[in-house]
Amino acid sequence: MLQQLAPALWIADHRLKIMGAEFGARMTVIRLGRGGLFVHSPVTLTPELHAEIPKLEAVA
């Protein structure tokens, strides 16, 4: 689930399990000044997040 931190900034935290150890990872979504969204995600998007992002604006 996306968490809004500022008018043009959202994050979603993930838990990754690699070789038995748990790590945190964070997806970042930024609304660009010229329109559109920039998405940075070190992990695969879940179906829920994939459906939630376009509700904000189109990904550029």
Side-chain angles (χ1 to χ4, degrees):
M1 178 168 257
L2 289 173
Q3 176 185 356
Q4 189 169 12
L5 298 180
L9 179 64
W10 297 264
I11 61 167
D13 290 322
H14 302 273
R15 299 300 299 167
L16 301 174
K17 195 171 218 178
I18 302 172
M19 297 176 61
E22 280 200 26
F23 298 92
R26 178 170 286 166
M27 179 183 76
T28 307
V29 179
I30 302 168
R31 179 174 284 125
L32 302 171
R34 65 183 186 277
L37 299 172
F38 171 81
V39 179
H40 171 266
S41 184
V43 296
T44 304
L45 292 174
T46 64
E48 296 81 14
L49 283 171
H50 194 269
E52 197 172 342
I53 292 170
K55 294 176 185 176
L56 303 173
E57 194 166 333
V59 175

